[in-house]
Amino acid sequence: MALIVQKYGGTSVGSVERVQAVAQRVYKTVKAGNSVVVVLSAMGKTTDGLVKLAHEISQNPNRREMDMLLSTGEQVSIAIFSMALQELGQPAISLTGLQVGIVTEAEHTRARILHIATDRIQRHLSQHKVVVVAGFQGISSTGELEITTLGRGGSDTSAVALAAALRANYCEIYTDVPGILTTDPRLIPDAQLMDEITSDEMLELASLGAKVLHPRAVEIARNYGVPLVVRSSWTDEPGTWVMSPKPKPRLLVNLEIAQPVDELEFDTNQAKIALLRVPDRPGVAARLFGEIARQDVDVDLIIQSIHEGNTNDIAFTVMTPILNRAEAVALAIAPVLGSDNGVQTGEVDVMVEKNIAKVSIVGAGMIGRPGVAAKMFATLAEARINIQMISTSEVKVSCVIDVQECDRAVAALSRAFEVEEEGALSRELLAGGQGGLGVPSGDRGERGAGGEKRIIHFSSASSLPIVRGVALDMKQARLAIRQIPDRPGTAAKLFGLLAQHNISVDMIIQSQRCRVIDGVPRRDIAFTITRMDAEVAQKTLEQAAAEFGWGEVVLDSAIAKVSIVGAGMVKQPGVAAKMFEALANHHINIQMITTSEIKISCVVAQEEGVKALQVIHAAFGLAGSERIQVPA
Ligand code: ADP
Ligand code: ASP
Ligand code: MG
């Protein structure tokens, strides 16, 4: 007999008929000999309706009252659902977050779960009842009891957290699509269903806009090794399993806030090439990286900064042994990039930096926990180490620094995050529950000529797709700050301020160009955030800019971010080139580029977002032969 947590989303319980159909499914699971805890979302579009109602009263509703309001949606669905089970003769009881004891931080509208009391649920289960728990809500117990919510889409997180706390055999997320697909089937109907995906890939996809799972649910599944599957509540198809690495032992306290970083990596075998003043027009990145791929040069990080005037800077890192080849390509192509139809439009400079190292913190939910990157930057600042390039992703934040500083950086970071650098040695993937899942072996440890490298990648990259999925985020905004002093501590100050307001930052890009103003070298920094946070972030940074003498703060909300994710892209030359080429072929201009080991993101104009997603999905041959039916 298994203990199963089943979560049903809004559409799955959107009507009386759907509630009855889902009750039948739960009833069957119990009759098959299992104990079942059901987690529910509010029925249909109830939460959207409540948000709209609040905005009819107030432009900026009080966050505590928002939680009071939104948490009512789930209370309705759990009560109705328990009644439906009871009608089938199945004993059931509904419980709110308060009644279960789902304790969260006191952070209204985006609270993280600290602890879940399991005694009451266990007692009801032992009495053969189905326990129906309200998703998305909890209580904070600092001072007086307060109702909190976890953030939109947070019922997935409630379900996986409950599964971890109850040590359930597995957690099933039932939704309105057959599982996790190569992209959103509402935008691309021939998106293909996958049997499985690694938790790192899913974390990236979820945080880059794939709404099918709440990123924090994936984070908990990964950290606690909860077998997790996404399935349709309309069919009996097996759905998609999310595979997590074998977890390190963790306590079930401070569930969503404890130990965000579990490994450190460093790589002293890297060099950086920057091309300055590259014309800002479609096709330039495709041309550059196409040529690089043809020479079989594998690039690691790529960053394209926002443009000043009508030119961009593009920087990338390569392994030292292939630097000469990469530099030759860059030098050969620079004059070509600087001309338009044979007419010279500007001078593209090539800059090579040999003495760099990349240090990274590895974990889950790096973007979702804004304090983590800020702490990394602050730690490097305290050690007086300047950051040359930053790459962020949900599973890793990397900084490129001077190679001379690498040892000090690693020592400071391992103290700050309480992790051993040697800890980064092995990583086995654990099959997620039911059989048939591939188990790629972890691989690490390489010493290349002239450098030392401690990095984990999956050696069986051939068994992992190069691109697993494509995501589109149309709810992002870009903030740029001009002329920030280029010295240790700047990134720490900037992102520390945003972290204090709980604002998560995704793509972070420092311009390669440096301008000396009043004797101080200065660069521009740009980054993306969710549009919801844009106003607060802009105000905060404008105040800081006035105080610290930074330049103008520029906000652009009309952007879209399109990303590819795949664990198999590690050490595969040409992946970025293919993505850029797909955009170039459709005359879509790339405004910003950032990469991490398993993702590449491009910012394009908002109105080109959907088109960009479609052409990239097609370019990587991800379409299936069937069209996915999605309920309206
Ligand atoms: P629920 O109410 O069940 O939680 P959501 O609307 O939150 O459902 O999430 C399911 C939706 O996620 C799908 O209907 C689909 O439009 C969207 N989606 C986005 N990206 C993906 C993807 N890669 N795979 C599957 N669905 C996706
Ligand atoms: N009802 C909440 C929402 O719509 C939580 C959820 O569905 O996951 O965001
Ligand atoms: Mg959802």
Side-chain angles (χ1 to χ4, degrees), residues 441-463:
S441 62
D443 162 40
R444 66 142 305 268
E446 277 174 28
R447 258 165 211 276
E452 199 179 354
K453 185 171 164 71
R454 293 270 167 78
I455 199 157
I456 303 148
H457 50 83
F458 296 108
S459 60
S460 46
S462 57
S463 67

Side-chain angles (χ1 to χ4, degrees), residues 394-470:
E394 271 298 20
V395 295
K396 187 176 284 195
V397 182
S398 305
C399 293
V400 168
I401 58 172
D402 189 308
V403 74
Q404 304 293 335
E405 320 265 34
C406 186
D407 285 349
R408 284 198 310 115
V410 171
L413 291 170
S414 78
R415 268 195 310 276
F417 289 103
E418 295 173 24
V419 278
E420 297 278 328
E421 169 263 323
E422 287 83 0
L425 297 191
S426 73
R427 200 153 177 208
E428 269 171 52
L429 279 185
L430 183 75
Q434 292 179 345
L437 301 178
V439 185
S441 62
D443 162 40
R444 66 142 305 268
E446 277 174 28
R447 258 165 211 276
E452 199 179 354
K453 185 171 164 71
R454 293 270 167 78
I455 199 157
I456 303 148
H457 50 83
F458 296 108
S459 60
S460 46
S462 57
S463 67
L464 293 167
I466 291 172
V467 178
R468 184 85 75 165
V470 188

Side-chain angles (χ1 to χ4, degrees), residues 7 9-10 41-42 47-48 74 136 151-156:
K7 178 258 169 177
S41 291
T47 314
D48 289 342
E74 273 72 12
F136 171 62
R152 295 303 307 271
S155 295
D156 300 335

